[in-house]
Every structure is written in C-alpha cells, then in structure tokens.
Amino acid sequence: MTSTAQAPQPGARTAHPEHLGHVIFIAAAAAMGGFLFGYDSSVINGAVEAIRGRYDIGSAALAQVIAIALIGCAIGAATAGRIADRIGRIRCMQIAAVLFTISAVGSALPFALWDLALWRIVGGFAIGMASVIGPAYIAEVAPPAYRGRLGSFQQAAIVVGIAISQLVNWGLLNAAGGDQRGKLMGLEAWQVMLGVMVVPAVLYGLLSFAIPESPRFLLSVGKHERAREILAEVEGQDIDLDARVAEIELAMKSEHKSTFKDLLGGSFFFKPIVWVGIGLSVFQQFVGINVAFYYSSTLWQSVGVDPTESFFYSFTTSIINIMGTVIAMIFVDRVGRKPLALIGSIGMVVGLALEAWAFSYHLVDGKLPSTQGWVALIAAHVFVLFFALSWGVVVWVFLGEMFPNKIRAAALGVAAAAQWIANWAITASFPSLADWNLSGTYVIYTVFAALSIPFVLKFVKETKGKSLEEMG
C-alpha cells in the first residue's frame, strides 16, 4: 500500500467525476423520495372538503384524519436510520416506494373513514423514511466537491412535489366539473387525486434499481471491492481509491454514536443548545405554514372563493414556495443563516397580520369584501414567499450544523421529532380553530412569527463559515 493510502489526501475532496451527468441522475433519483414527501404531504389539500361531505364528519374528526399521517411520519423518521444501517439505503428506498404505492391505492379506494386514516398512516411512514434516507444517501454518494449542491436536490424535490400535487388536483377538479365529488374514471374526483400518487411512487421504486448502493454502507458490511467501484464511478477514476476508502473507514471508526443521555444537562433537562434546536423546529411549524399546504383550498372556499379558483390559488402558492426556496439556496451561504431567518420572520409577520385583518371582516353574500379578499390572497403568497426563503430552508441548515459533534445525531433526532409533533399540533387544530375564529387563528400564527425574532436574536448563533468541529 502506498503512503497516500495510509493518510487520506485532500485531493479526494476536490475530485470531480468524469460523468457529472450520471452523478446528477443518481442524486435526482434519490431525491424522488423528497418529491413523494412533498406530493403525499399536500395532495390531501384537494380532498379535505370531499372527505367531510362523504363521511359527514365535523371539523375535529376531519382534522384527525388529515393529521394522522404525521404519526406515521414520526415513526418512519425514527426507524429509517436503523433500517438503512441493517439492509442498506437502496432497500430502504424500495420499501418506502412500496409503502407510498400501497398508501395511494388504499387512500383512493377506502371502505370507510377508519381505513382511509390507516392508509394515511402508511403513507406517513413512507414520508418519514424518505425524509431521512434521501439526504443521507445523497450526502454519502455525492462527490465532496458537489455535495452541497446535490444535497439541495432533496428540498427542491419536496417543494416541486407540493406544486405538482396542487397542479394535478386543479386539473382533476376541472375535469370533474369543479366538484371534488364529481365522477372521474368511475370514482369520485378526490379519490383519483389521492390515487394518482401511484405513478411517482412506482417511478421511485424503478429508479432505485438504477442507482448504486452507498459506498459507506458497502464498506460497513465488508464489500470493499464494490465500494471502490462506486467511488470510482461517482468521484472519478483519478482519485486515490485506497486513500478515499481509508478516509471513510477512519471517519466511521471515529464516529461517536450519540445517545439520548448525551443530551441531558443544564437547568431544564436538556442542554441549552438542544432547546435552541427544539425552539427552531417549533417556531418553524407554529407560524402555520402547513395550513397553507394542507388546507388552503378549504380556507379559500370558506371565504367565498369558487372551488376551482381555490385549487388554482393553492397551485400558485406552491410556485411561490419554489421561488422562495431557490432564493434561500442562493443566499444562505452568502447572507448567512441568521440574517435570512430574521428577514423571513419580519416578512411572515406582515403577511400573517394582513391575513388576520382581512379575515376579520364579515362575509357579504358568502364572500369577503373585494378589498379584503385581494389583501388576503396577496398576503398569503407573501407569507409563503418569506417562509420559503428563510425558515423553510434555514432551519434544516441550522439543525445540521449547530450541534457539537458528540451529540449531533441524537440532538437532530430530538429536534426533528419536535418538528413532527408541532406539525401535528397545527394540522390537527386548524379546522376547529377556524370554526371558532379564522381571524383569531391567524393572530395566533402572527404572534409566533413575531416571537421568533427575539428568539433568533438572543439564542441562535450564526453557523455560516464555521466548520462542524467549531460547534463545540
């Protein structure tokens, strides 16, 4: 073995693959899990009112059916890492693809409300798996020189999935004559909306057979030659493969398997930095962002917007979400995480406050007055834009960077769990809160957006330009 094999060389960090297009294909295929994450999360938006009418249920029961998928999300996210370490990243993707497919078929053909809820839990489990496996696989396969850009495919795929689901819902609603329960292909339109996810789910499964296993996993199970082949395939033939393998194995041996116990300490059970991570996760959800993706068509219909138009506005909101995400990807390393979060918080306060003001007016002939209606519509898009260009991306960047190496994995797991719980709380409470007072509900979201400003200023430290080792 040469001396370069004994000590990993920095050349491995700057190696460029000969076939960058192939590497992009691998990352894009893995990011299909993110697409399904976004699609499955928001496609229910098109079925909310139809489910209410089909099963004659009140707001509280309806909210539980919508939110119950998040229970599956939490379980899937909590178990995906261990599953992937046992059977591999690719097998984990294939399991998620099968679960997405089963969920789509079951949700499209429910016998009763209880089994619709069951299929949503199954889909949620797949979402949770995809939310963990996609980013981990891309990070392990991507050449170091391209890791940041390829890693952003996951978030981009999620927001595209949200947008496509809304576009498909709008198209199917038009085909059904503007009636969510209108007949299409022998089913009600909302059933077709939920069933269409079979197409990307099957595609995800097929693509998983066309991409290689993670070299890191292969090395962990002793398949050194195959790992070397894949490293040469994705990082180029010119790199020192012995050095690269040695670097990965050294990193694997030196890794500290963080546990829940490592997070304990301080005056309030967890270490302060863990509470900051939990706070970021909770604020990200408590501004009500998922109301815009789970209930927006219902929201607009409740203030007198025509169903077809309400579905179109859900789609345009999703396009704004994509635009904001692109802005965040461009500026997060230039402006910094903390300034971007503060800009986003201020913009969200303005947007949410204007929505609260508009919804405070009484409906005239079942509709908001013209001025308030336009203000509500524009403000909703402003809110989503500022969320997407800040908290939608920045929180995940913070959570990946802010924790000390010793506790990073466990702390990230706790923060992610807090995010799913907060997501569930908002999703499950919105229909009942909206029945109580729609304007008051948006006042609550505005307050949380405003409180996020002093929280960031006082407790969150900038991580831009710092190595992970500098985090304590």
Side-chain angles (χ1 to χ4, degrees):
M1 187 177 290
T2 65
S3 59
T4 53
Q6 295 170 352
Q9 298 299 306
R13 299 192 177 281
T14 56
H16 289 213
E18 288 100 4
H19 307 293
L20 181 57
H22 179 57
V23 178
I24 291 173
F25 168 77
I26 291 172
M32 269 299 294
F35 177 91
L36 282 158
F37 178 165
Y39 195 101
D40 192 27
S41 296
S42 62
V43 70
I44 194 69
N45 189 8
V48 173
E49 288 307 303
I51 292 171
R52 188 199 297 268
R54 168 82 171 260
Y55 298 105
D56 191 24
I57 54 176
S59 294
L62 177 69
Q64 294 309 316
V65 174
I66 305 305
I68 201 167
L70 299 170
I71 296 173
C73 291
I75 298 171
T79 58
R82 292 184 180 181
I83 295 172
D85 285 341
R86 294 234 180 149
I87 64 175
R89 283 55 165 154
I90 298 299
R91 288 285 178 267
C92 202
M93 289 182 197
Q94 290 163 354
I95 291 171
V98 169
L99 293 177
F100 274 124
T101 304
I102 292 172
S103 172
V105 174
S107 298
L109 303 170
F111 299 107
L113 190 64
W114 69 265
D115 75 306
L116 174 60
L118 173 64
W119 301 126
R120 284 193 50 72
I121 293 175
V122 171
F125 191 95
I127 290 173
M129 292 183 75
S131 71
V132 171
I133 294 305
Y137 172 84
I138 293 171
E140 292 176 357
V141 174
Y146 295 92
R147 185 173 295 137
R149 281 163 286 182
L150 293 176
S152 68
F153 278 25
Q154 175 80 358
Q155 181 64 25
I158 291 171
V159 296
V160 170
I162 291 171
I164 295 298
S165 73
Q166 301 311 306
L167 179 61
V168 170
N169 284 355
W170 179 56
L172 290 173
L173 186 72
N174 276 292
D179 182 2
Q180 290 181 35
R181 300 192 61 189
K183 292 296 182 180
L184 281 177
M185 297 181 282
L187 300 172
E188 293 184 3
W190 69 272
Q191 294 175 273
V192 180
M193 291 175 189
L194 300 183
V196 165
M197 196 179 68
V198 165
V199 176
V202 170
L203 178 61
Y204 180 40
L206 293 175
L207 286 171
S208 71
F209 288 98
I211 58 178
E213 182 54 89
S214 157
R216 185 184 177 91
F217 171 75
L218 292 170
L219 289 173
S220 74
V221 295
K223 297 183 178 180
H224 287 71
E225 283 307 309
R226 180 58 181 149
R228 290 165 62 90
E229 290 174 11
I230 294 170
L231 283 169
E233 179 183 335
V234 299
E235 295 193 14
Q237 298 287 346
D238 296 334
I239 68 165
D240 187 331
L241 290 175
D242 289 331
R244 193 71 182 93
V245 168
E247 182 179 23
I248 294 172
E249 290 186 321
L250 179 63
M252 289 168 62
K253 288 176 183 176
S254 63
E255 279 181 349
H256 171 80
K257 296 291 184 182
S258 55
T259 64
F260 186 80
K261 188 177 179 181
D262 293 325
L263 308 181
L264 305 181
S267 305
F268 301 99
F269 193 69
F270 287 130
K271 293 178 178 177
I273 190 66
V274 179
W275 281 115
V276 174
I278 291 171
L280 285 168
S281 290
V282 169
F283 275 117
Q284 187 198 49
Q285 296 301 315
F286 275 17
V287 296
I289 186 59
N290 279 311
V291 168
F293 299 126
Y294 297 162
Y295 296 113
S296 59
S297 62
T298 297
L299 173 65
W300 295 124
Q301 288 173 54
S302 74
V303 293
V305 175
D306 174 81
T308 304
E309 287 186 3
S310 75
F311 274 52
F312 178 71
Y313 294 148
S314 295
F315 171 61
T316 58
T317 302
S318 300
I319 296 299
I320 293 293
N321 189 33
I322 293 175
M323 292 169 57
T325 301
V326 171
I327 293 171
M329 290 164 63
I330 292 171
F331 287 104
V332 69
D333 284 323
R334 298 181 185 180
V335 175
R337 291 81 164 121
K338 192 168 177 176
L340 215 52
L342 291 170
I343 291 168
S345 292
I346 294 168
M348 288 191 296
V349 168
V350 173
L352 289 167
L354 287 172
E355 283 191 87
W357 172 79
F359 292 141
S360 69
Y361 280 74
H362 292 295
L363 303 185
V364 179
D365 296 327
K367 296 183 178 183
L368 279 176
S370 178
T371 300
Q372 284 71 28
W374 279 108
V375 168
L377 189 61
I378 294 169
H381 285 72
V382 168
F383 163 60
V384 170
L385 175 65
F386 276 95
F387 176 88
L389 66 80
S390 60
W391 285 74
V393 171
V394 163
V395 168
W396 287 110
V397 175
F398 267 132
L399 294 180
E401 296 176 338
M402 66 187 287
F403 301 115
N405 282 332
K406 184 179 179 182
I407 67 168
R408 180 168 294 115
L412 183 53
V414 168
Q419 194 168 117
W420 287 119
I421 293 168
N423 189 340
W424 173 84
I426 291 297
T427 305
S429 64
F430 176 75
S432 296
L433 284 173
D435 284 351
W436 161 69
N437 189 316
L438 184 57
S439 177
T441 302
Y442 273 83
V443 168
I444 294 171
Y445 300 154
T446 305
V447 169
F448 279 112
L451 289 174
S452 71
I453 297 172
F455 174 80
V456 170
L457 287 171
K458 183 171 178 60
F459 298 110
V460 179
K461 295 181 180 179
E462 180 60 77
T463 57
K464 173 191 170 187
K466 296 181 180 180
S467 70
L468 296 182
E469 287 67 35
E470 289 180 76
M471 302 302 164

